[in-house]
Amino acid sequence: IWILLSSITTIIDVISYVLIAFVAVSLIVSSIMIGVITYISVLERKKEIGILRAIGASKKNISQVFDAETFIIGLLSGLLGIGITLILLVPGNMLIHEIAGNVSVSATLPVGGAIILIVLSVILTLIGGLIPSKKAAQEAKKFGDIHIAYDGSVNNFKHIPTQDELDLREDASYVHLCANNTIYGTEWKYVPDT
């Protein structure tokens, strides 16, 4: 009996290692695919990126938009994976109970494991989306001739420039002004002479 149990344990260990290898490969492939999909999204949304730049979004802001999207994708993917797992546990446990002839043996998904899987999903999608989000910031430069007359990020958006501090171009088609920054509480008290 000891030899039989030892062989079963060895077989289960081998199967576990093979499954871990499959999971590792699938995680790498899924991270690459998330990067590809996010990059395609960047290429298809050049106009949106250009408009964001035109209305004053910094390269960092544009990068944050794509980072937020990948975070949401990772979170929803993790939650979906946990949901599917919990649903599949029902017929899986029915099968286990039928084969084992015992209802005391059941497959479960521990709460701690589920949380770790969701966090891992978010981290992997963020890693997969880092390069495309940086590409989005670079694409913003390519779309149209955008000139920023004043960049408030230098002072953490807490300073409204005077007319002399603005670098306005005479050949500009239009000027966009964000008159009220609700996040940092700054507000233009005058309309600049453009």
Side-chain angles (χ1 to χ4, degrees), residues 119-167:
V119 169
L120 184 63
S121 173
V122 169
I123 290 171
L124 287 173
T125 53
L126 283 174
I127 290 170
L130 281 178
I131 294 171
S133 72
K134 301 302 176 205
K135 287 282 187 189
Q138 292 171 355
E139 287 293 325
K141 288 181 174 179
K142 297 177 186 176
F143 191 80
D145 182 20
I146 299 168
H147 174 72
I148 299 174
Y150 180 78
D151 184 4
S153 65
V154 176
N155 298 319
N156 203 21
F157 304 101
K158 294 181 181 176
H159 172 71
I160 299 296
T162 63
Q163 182 73 41
D164 295 334
E165 293 175 304
L166 296 174
D167 181 21

Side-chain angles (χ1 to χ4, degrees), residues 22-168:
F22 279 131
V23 168
V25 169
S26 69
L27 288 175
I28 292 168
V29 169
S30 66
S31 294
I32 291 169
M33 289 309 298
I34 289 167
V36 168
I37 290 168
T38 308
Y39 183 66
I40 289 170
S41 175
V42 168
L43 294 178
E44 290 180 354
R45 295 166 63 187
K46 286 183 180 180
K47 281 190 176 183
E48 179 185 338
I49 292 168
I51 290 168
L52 287 171
R53 284 290 283 167
I55 62 172
S58 67
K59 289 182 286 185
K60 182 179 178 184
N61 296 139
I62 292 169
S63 185
Q64 288 170 339
V65 167
F66 286 91
D67 287 341
E69 287 178 5
T70 55
F71 173 81
I72 292 168
I73 290 169
L75 181 63
L76 292 178
S77 298
L79 291 172
L80 183 66
I82 296 301
I84 291 171
T85 301
L86 292 174
I87 290 169
L88 291 177
L89 279 177
V90 174
N93 278 329
M94 290 170 60
L95 184 65
I96 290 170
H97 296 159
E98 184 68 31
I99 292 172
N102 187 349
V103 293
S104 64
V105 177
S106 293
T108 61
L109 177 63
V111 175
I115 291 171
I116 289 170
L117 290 171
I118 292 170
V119 169
L120 184 63
S121 173
V122 169
I123 290 171
L124 287 173
T125 53
L126 283 174
I127 290 170
L130 281 178
I131 294 171
S133 72
K134 301 302 176 205
K135 287 282 187 189
Q138 292 171 355
E139 287 293 325
K141 288 181 174 179
K142 297 177 186 176
F143 191 80
D145 182 20
I146 299 168
H147 174 72
I148 299 174
Y150 180 78
D151 184 4
S153 65
V154 176
N155 298 319
N156 203 21
F157 304 101
K158 294 181 181 176
H159 172 71
I160 299 296
T162 63
Q163 182 73 41
D164 295 334
E165 293 175 304
L166 296 174
D167 181 21
L168 297 169

Side-chain angles (χ1 to χ4, degrees), residues 168-181:
L168 297 169
R169 289 182 9 194
E170 291 183 19
D171 64 339
S173 299
Y174 66 92
V175 173
H176 173 80
L177 170 69
C178 181
N180 185 12
N181 187 329

